[in-house]
Amino acid sequence: MELVLTDDQEFFRDTTRKFLGSECPIPKVRELRDNEAGFEADYWRQGAELGWVSLLVPEELGGGSVSGNGPSDLALVAHAFGFHVAPGPLIPCNVVASTLARSGSEEQQSGLLQDLISGAQVATWALTELPPHDALGDDVTVRAEADGDGYVLSGVKSPVEAGAEADQLLVTATTDAGIGQFLVPRDADGVTVTPLRSVDLVRRYARIEFDGVRVPASAVVGTPGQVADDLEHQLQIAAVVQSAEMVGAADAGFDITLDWAFSRYSFGRPLASFQEIKHRFADMKMWLEASHGLADSAARHVSRADADAAIAVSAAKAYAGQYLAELLQDCVQLHGGIGVTYEHDIHLYLRRITVDRLTYGTPADHHRRIGELRIAQAA
């Protein structure tokens, strides 16, 4: 999270934190484990009223950011989500909203986009396909065949966040002209949604099969074969949100563990006073602060849409995914036996980071991506 915030950003951050602290305390998060959707509709609509889905949408389309820097403002929300391990489809709804704002038709912008901003509907991005296909969308096998004045989609996407809860699916598929994107109602004929189990208590995923799903030409978002910029922007937004969310979860886990180490006594001394543990906390603090800086930098680069944005977001996602996962593992171990029980809260933060580091590209995927981008720049 940025070190220096504007007054409006501070107010927005504090409002979001207070809302999540009130509506989603840890006991509530635990209760939502048994909720089919993982979140409540009224809660999401209230969050949308606070601006959670409008930050990447221009004012003329009904959106607007707090500071004029939408990705950084969204990162403030994501950090709070991680800190409170909050429920809700923050990533998919913002990815779809930003894409519709960039490339959607007037009908899509006046319809679905407004429903997303208000929280009346939920949408998700169906990109990832089952291994061995690439998690970053470089190997799309779901097919969209032109048929008359529409398209017919066939294939499988998995895992798709909020796939069973979304009203609309933004499906990335290959066409004769190249990669295209299509809005598909979740309940359309030929769509089969199979809920999957998730490590995160409140984050839901699904396997979605498309068996000859017919959509009209009005379902196309952008122009097939010319959506590369949109896809890159979508990946960058997802990585910005995930990086900030992982930092938020690590902040909470680190604070809990630091408090525990100072209050827990061993051989008549606070646990935190032992040299080996001091050294470990120093490493953890370094990883945490570096992740803060990389996540903030990624948001700023994406806001400016500069040439280094892709590298910045992959660097943030790769570093946070690797080191913050290790940080939370250390937090669990430093708690001793109580840390590996379900009753302790520390595992909730580890679960959130584990899911974030594995979706929309693993650290290894993003390390590889950085190398490919550097080679392309040098060519």
PDB file of all heavy atoms in Angstrom, residues 260-280:
ATOM      1  N   TRP A 260       2.126 -12.571  19.087  1.00  0.00           N
ATOM      2  CA  TRP A 260       2.238 -13.867  19.764  1.00  0.00           C
ATOM      3  C   TRP A 260       3.652 -14.069  20.307  1.00  0.00           C
ATOM      4  O   TRP A 260       3.848 -14.497  21.445  1.00  0.00           O
ATOM      5  CB  TRP A 260       1.890 -14.973  18.774  1.00  0.00           C
ATOM      6  CG  TRP A 260       2.303 -16.362  19.184  1.00  0.00           C
ATOM      7  CD1 TRP A 260       3.448 -17.021  18.824  1.00  0.00           C
ATOM      8  CD2 TRP A 260       1.574 -17.263  20.026  1.00  0.00           C
ATOM      9  NE1 TRP A 260       3.492 -18.278  19.377  1.00  0.00           N
ATOM     10  CE2 TRP A 260       2.343 -18.454  20.130  1.00  0.00           C
ATOM     11  CE3 TRP A 260       0.363 -17.192  20.704  1.00  0.00           C
ATOM     12  CZ2 TRP A 260       1.924 -19.543  20.869  1.00  0.00           C
ATOM     13  CZ3 TRP A 260      -0.054 -18.287  21.447  1.00  0.00           C
ATOM     14  CH2 TRP A 260       0.717 -19.437  21.529  1.00  0.00           C
ATOM     15  N   ALA A 261       4.665 -13.725  19.511  1.00  0.00           N
ATOM     16  CA  ALA A 261       6.051 -13.965  19.910  1.00  0.00           C
ATOM     17  C   ALA A 261       6.459 -13.110  21.103  1.00  0.00           C
ATOM     18  O   ALA A 261       7.306 -13.515  21.908  1.00  0.00           O
ATOM     19  CB  ALA A 261       6.991 -13.702  18.737  1.00  0.00           C
ATOM     20  N   PHE A 262       5.867 -11.935  21.233  1.00  0.00           N
ATOM     21  CA  PHE A 262       6.200 -11.075  22.374  1.00  0.00           C
ATOM     22  C   PHE A 262       5.407 -11.457  23.631  1.00  0.00           C
ATOM     23  O   PHE A 262       5.831 -11.161  24.744  1.00  0.00           O
ATOM     24  CB  PHE A 262       5.944  -9.610  22.027  1.00  0.00           C
ATOM     25  CG  PHE A 262       7.111  -8.947  21.348  1.00  0.00           C
ATOM     26  CD1 PHE A 262       7.096  -8.733  19.987  1.00  0.00           C
ATOM     27  CD2 PHE A 262       8.230  -8.542  22.070  1.00  0.00           C
ATOM     28  CE1 PHE A 262       8.171  -8.134  19.342  1.00  0.00           C
ATOM     29  CE2 PHE A 262       9.310  -7.940  21.449  1.00  0.00           C
ATOM     30  CZ  PHE A 262       9.292  -7.734  20.071  1.00  0.00           C
ATOM     31  N   SER A 263       4.267 -12.081  23.443  1.00  0.00           N
ATOM     32  CA  SER A 263       3.447 -12.436  24.612  1.00  0.00           C
ATOM     33  C   SER A 263       3.677 -13.879  25.075  1.00  0.00           C
ATOM     34  O   SER A 263       3.306 -14.248  26.189  1.00  0.00           O
ATOM     35  CB  SER A 263       1.960 -12.236  24.289  1.00  0.00           C
ATOM     36  OG  SER A 263       1.560 -13.061  23.208  1.00  0.00           O
ATOM     37  N   ARG A 264       4.291 -14.688  24.223  1.00  0.00           N
ATOM     38  CA  ARG A 264       4.565 -16.083  24.570  1.00  0.00           C
ATOM     39  C   ARG A 264       5.941 -16.196  25.224  1.00  0.00           C
ATOM     40  O   ARG A 264       6.939 -15.722  24.670  1.00  0.00           O
ATOM     41  CB  ARG A 264       4.523 -16.944  23.296  1.00  0.00           C
ATOM     42  CG  ARG A 264       4.837 -18.406  23.505  1.00  0.00           C
ATOM     43  CD  ARG A 264       3.702 -19.119  24.220  1.00  0.00           C
ATOM     44  NE  ARG A 264       3.910 -20.562  24.236  1.00  0.00           N
ATOM     45  CZ  ARG A 264       3.106 -21.410  24.851  1.00  0.00           C
ATOM     46  NH1 ARG A 264       2.034 -20.974  25.482  1.00  0.00           N
ATOM     47  NH2 ARG A 264       3.361 -22.699  24.824  1.00  0.00           N
ATOM     48  N   TYR A 265       6.009 -16.817  26.392  1.00  0.00           N
ATOM     49  CA  TYR A 265       7.273 -16.921  27.126  1.00  0.00           C
ATOM     50  C   TYR A 265       7.827 -18.347  27.049  1.00  0.00           C
ATOM     51  O   TYR A 265       7.079 -19.324  27.105  1.00  0.00           O
ATOM     52  CB  TYR A 265       7.086 -16.522  28.584  1.00  0.00           C
ATOM     53  CG  TYR A 265       7.150 -15.030  28.803  1.00  0.00           C
ATOM     54  CD1 TYR A 265       6.144 -14.205  28.315  1.00  0.00           C
ATOM     55  CD2 TYR A 265       8.220 -14.442  29.473  1.00  0.00           C
ATOM     56  CE1 TYR A 265       6.195 -12.829  28.487  1.00  0.00           C
ATOM     57  CE2 TYR A 265       8.276 -13.062  29.659  1.00  0.00           C
ATOM     58  CZ  TYR A 265       7.267 -12.265  29.158  1.00  0.00           C
ATOM     59  OH  TYR A 265       7.337 -10.914  29.332  1.00  0.00           O
ATOM     60  N   SER A 266       9.147 -18.412  26.924  1.00  0.00           N
ATOM     61  CA  SER A 266       9.840 -19.694  26.931  1.00  0.00           C
ATOM     62  C   SER A 266      11.129 -19.526  27.741  1.00  0.00           C
ATOM     63  O   SER A 266      11.904 -18.587  27.482  1.00  0.00           O
ATOM     64  CB  SER A 266      10.171 -20.115  25.490  1.00  0.00           C
ATOM     65  OG  SER A 266      10.838 -21.360  25.478  1.00  0.00           O
ATOM     66  N   PHE A 267      11.329 -20.374  28.725  1.00  0.00           N
ATOM     67  CA  PHE A 267      12.483 -20.275  29.629  1.00  0.00           C
ATOM     68  C   PHE A 267      12.535 -18.891  30.290  1.00  0.00           C
ATOM     69  O   PHE A 267      13.612 -18.311  30.472  1.00  0.00           O
ATOM     70  CB  PHE A 267      13.800 -20.546  28.890  1.00  0.00           C
ATOM     71  CG  PHE A 267      13.860 -21.915  28.264  1.00  0.00           C
ATOM     72  CD1 PHE A 267      13.688 -22.065  26.897  1.00  0.00           C
ATOM     73  CD2 PHE A 267      14.070 -23.038  29.051  1.00  0.00           C
ATOM     74  CE1 PHE A 267      13.728 -23.327  26.323  1.00  0.00           C
ATOM     75  CE2 PHE A 267      14.115 -24.302  28.477  1.00  0.00           C
ATOM     76  CZ  PHE A 267      13.937 -24.442  27.107  1.00  0.00           C
ATOM     77  N   GLY A 268      11.356 -18.359  30.623  1.00  0.00           N
ATOM     78  CA  GLY A 268      11.285 -17.094  31.331  1.00  0.00           C
ATOM     79  C   GLY A 268      11.514 -15.861  30.477  1.00  0.00           C
ATOM     80  O   GLY A 268      11.624 -14.751  31.013  1.00  0.00           O
ATOM     81  N   ARG A 269      11.605 -16.031  29.179  1.00  0.00           N
ATOM     82  CA  ARG A 269      11.845 -14.895  28.278  1.00  0.00           C
ATOM     83  C   ARG A 269      10.808 -14.902  27.161  1.00  0.00           C
ATOM     84  O   ARG A 269      10.330 -15.975  26.763  1.00  0.00           O
ATOM     85  CB  ARG A 269      13.243 -15.003  27.640  1.00  0.00           C
ATOM     86  CG  ARG A 269      14.392 -14.902  28.605  1.00  0.00           C
ATOM     87  CD  ARG A 269      15.697 -15.317  27.921  1.00  0.00           C
ATOM     88  NE  ARG A 269      15.920 -14.572  26.677  1.00  0.00           N
ATOM     89  CZ  ARG A 269      16.890 -14.894  25.817  1.00  0.00           C
ATOM     90  NH1 ARG A 269      17.683 -15.940  26.042  1.00  0.00           N
ATOM     91  NH2 ARG A 269      17.052 -14.164  24.725  1.00  0.00           N
ATOM     92  N   PRO A 270      10.465 -13.697  26.636  1.00  0.00           N
ATOM     93  CA  PRO A 270       9.556 -13.669  25.483  1.00  0.00           C
ATOM     94  C   PRO A 270      10.172 -14.441  24.317  1.00  0.00           C
ATOM     95  O   PRO A 270      11.387 -14.376  24.075  1.00  0.00           O
ATOM     96  CB  PRO A 270       9.433 -12.178  25.156  1.00  0.00           C
ATOM     97  CG  PRO A 270       9.817 -11.476  26.402  1.00  0.00           C
ATOM     98  CD  PRO A 270      10.847 -12.345  27.069  1.00  0.00           C
ATOM     99  N   LEU A 271       9.363 -15.146  23.610  1.00  0.00           N
ATOM    100  CA  LEU A 271       9.835 -15.912  22.462  1.00  0.00           C
ATOM    101  C   LEU A 271      10.573 -15.017  21.460  1.00  0.00           C
ATOM    102  O   LEU A 271      11.571 -15.426  20.850  1.00  0.00           O
ATOM    103  CB  LEU A 271       8.637 -16.583  21.780  1.00  0.00           C
ATOM    104  CG  LEU A 271       8.921 -17.713  20.794  1.00  0.00           C
ATOM    105  CD1 LEU A 271       9.605 -18.887  21.473  1.00  0.00           C
ATOM    106  CD2 LEU A 271       7.610 -18.160  20.144  1.00  0.00           C
ATOM    107  N   ALA A 272      10.089 -13.784  21.306  1.00  0.00           N
ATOM    108  CA  ALA A 272      10.687 -12.860  20.339  1.00  0.00           C
ATOM    109  C   ALA A 272      12.089 -12.409  20.726  1.00  0.00           C
ATOM    110  O   ALA A 272      12.781 -11.797  19.909  1.00  0.00           O
ATOM    111  CB  ALA A 272       9.783 -11.639  20.171  1.00  0.00           C
ATOM    112  N   SER A 273      12.522 -12.680  21.950  1.00  0.00           N
ATOM    113  CA  SER A 273      13.837 -12.211  22.392  1.00  0.00           C
ATOM    114  C   SER A 273      14.971 -13.138  21.965  1.00  0.00           C
ATOM    115  O   SER A 273      16.139 -12.770  22.068  1.00  0.00           O
ATOM    116  CB  SER A 273      13.853 -12.046  23.917  1.00  0.00           C
ATOM    117  OG  SER A 273      13.764 -13.314  24.560  1.00  0.00           O
ATOM    118  N   PHE A 274      14.648 -14.336  21.473  1.00  0.00           N
ATOM    119  CA  PHE A 274      15.690 -15.270  21.068  1.00  0.00           C
ATOM    120  C   PHE A 274      16.274 -14.865  19.716  1.00  0.00           C
ATOM    121  O   PHE A 274      15.559 -14.487  18.793  1.00  0.00           O
ATOM    122  CB  PHE A 274      15.139 -16.696  21.008  1.00  0.00           C
ATOM    123  CG  PHE A 274      14.840 -17.261  22.367  1.00  0.00           C
ATOM    124  CD1 PHE A 274      13.571 -17.104  22.925  1.00  0.00           C
ATOM    125  CD2 PHE A 274      15.811 -17.922  23.103  1.00  0.00           C
ATOM    126  CE1 PHE A 274      13.276 -17.611  24.174  1.00  0.00           C
ATOM    127  CE2 PHE A 274      15.533 -18.425  24.365  1.00  0.00           C
ATOM    128  CZ  PHE A 274      14.263 -18.267  24.908  1.00  0.00           C
ATOM    129  N   GLN A 275      17.589 -14.970  19.612  1.00  0.00           N
ATOM    130  CA  GLN A 275      18.296 -14.422  18.460  1.00  0.00           C
ATOM    131  C   GLN A 275      17.830 -15.041  17.143  1.00  0.00           C
ATOM    132  O   GLN A 275      17.615 -14.341  16.153  1.00  0.00           O
ATOM    133  CB  GLN A 275      19.802 -14.616  18.619  1.00  0.00           C
ATOM    134  CG  GLN A 275      20.628 -13.925  17.533  1.00  0.00           C
ATOM    135  CD  GLN A 275      22.113 -14.060  17.772  1.00  0.00           C
ATOM    136  OE1 GLN A 275      22.599 -15.151  18.058  1.00  0.00           O
ATOM    137  NE2 GLN A 275      22.835 -12.959  17.681  1.00  0.00           N
ATOM    138  N   GLU A 276      17.684 -16.344  17.094  1.00  0.00           N
ATOM    139  CA  GLU A 276      17.283 -17.006  15.854  1.00  0.00           C
ATOM    140  C   GLU A 276      15.918 -16.507  15.384  1.00  0.00           C
ATOM    141  O   GLU A 276      15.692 -16.283  14.187  1.00  0.00           O
ATOM    142  CB  GLU A 276      17.244 -18.525  16.071  1.00  0.00           C
ATOM    143  CG  GLU A 276      16.664 -19.312  14.888  1.00  0.00           C
ATOM    144  CD  GLU A 276      17.450 -19.118  13.609  1.00  0.00           C
ATOM    145  OE1 GLU A 276      18.656 -18.808  13.663  1.00  0.00           O
ATOM    146  OE2 GLU A 276      16.845 -19.289  12.522  1.00  0.00           O
ATOM    147  N   ILE A 277      15.020 -16.287  16.339  1.00  0.00           N
ATOM    148  CA  ILE A 277      13.686 -15.810  15.975  1.00  0.00           C
ATOM    149  C   ILE A 277      13.749 -14.351  15.541  1.00  0.00           C
ATOM    150  O   ILE A 277      13.040 -13.933  14.613  1.00  0.00           O
ATOM    151  CB  ILE A 277      12.711 -16.025  17.140  1.00  0.00           C
ATOM    152  CG1 ILE A 277      12.505 -17.533  17.346  1.00  0.00           C
ATOM    153  CG2 ILE A 277      11.380 -15.325  16.889  1.00  0.00           C
ATOM    154  CD1 ILE A 277      11.595 -17.894  18.472  1.00  0.00           C
ATOM    155  N   LYS A 278      14.611 -13.561  16.173  1.00  0.00           N
ATOM    156  CA  LYS A 278      14.809 -12.175  15.729  1.00  0.00           C
ATOM    157  C   LYS A 278      15.273 -12.141  14.274  1.00  0.00           C
ATOM    158  O   LYS A 278      14.780 -11.339  13.468  1.00  0.00           O
ATOM    159  CB  LYS A 278      15.849 -11.481  16.603  1.00  0.00           C
ATOM    160  CG  LYS A 278      15.415 -11.126  18.006  1.00  0.00           C
ATOM    161  CD  LYS A 278      16.562 -10.444  18.732  1.00  0.00           C
ATOM    162  CE  LYS A 278      16.197 -10.074  20.159  1.00  0.00           C
ATOM    163  NZ  LYS A 278      17.339  -9.427  20.847  1.00  0.00           N
ATOM    164  N   HIS A 279      16.220 -13.006  13.947  1.00  0.00           N
ATOM    165  CA  HIS A 279      16.734 -13.044  12.582  1.00  0.00           C
ATOM    166  C   HIS A 279      15.631 -13.449  11.596  1.00  0.00           C
ATOM    167  O   HIS A 279      15.536 -12.921  10.483  1.00  0.00           O
ATOM    168  CB  HIS A 279      17.895 -14.029  12.483  1.00  0.00           C
ATOM    169  CG  HIS A 279      19.135 -13.552  13.172  1.00  0.00           C
ATOM    170  ND1 HIS A 279      20.240 -14.349  13.351  1.00  0.00           N
ATOM    171  CD2 HIS A 279      19.444 -12.350  13.738  1.00  0.00           C
ATOM    172  CE1 HIS A 279      21.188 -13.664  13.991  1.00  0.00           C
ATOM    173  NE2 HIS A 279      20.716 -12.454  14.240  1.00  0.00           N
ATOM    174  N   ARG A 280      14.798 -14.381  12.034  1.00  0.00           N
ATOM    175  CA  ARG A 280      13.724 -14.830  11.142  1.00  0.00           C
ATOM    176  C   ARG A 280      12.708 -13.712  10.928  1.00  0.00           C
ATOM    177  O   ARG A 280      12.224 -13.501   9.811  1.00  0.00           O
ATOM    178  CB  ARG A 280      13.042 -16.069  11.721  1.00  0.00           C
ATOM    179  CG  ARG A 280      12.274 -16.869  10.676  1.00  0.00           C
ATOM    180  CD  ARG A 280      13.192 -17.262   9.543  1.00  0.00           C
ATOM    181  NE  ARG A 280      12.475 -17.998   8.496  1.00  0.00           N
ATOM    182  CZ  ARG A 280      12.976 -18.204   7.290  1.00  0.00           C
ATOM    183  NH1 ARG A 280      14.167 -17.740   6.981  1.00  0.00           N
ATOM    184  NH2 ARG A 280      12.295 -18.882   6.406  1.00  0.00           N
TER     185      ARG A 280
END
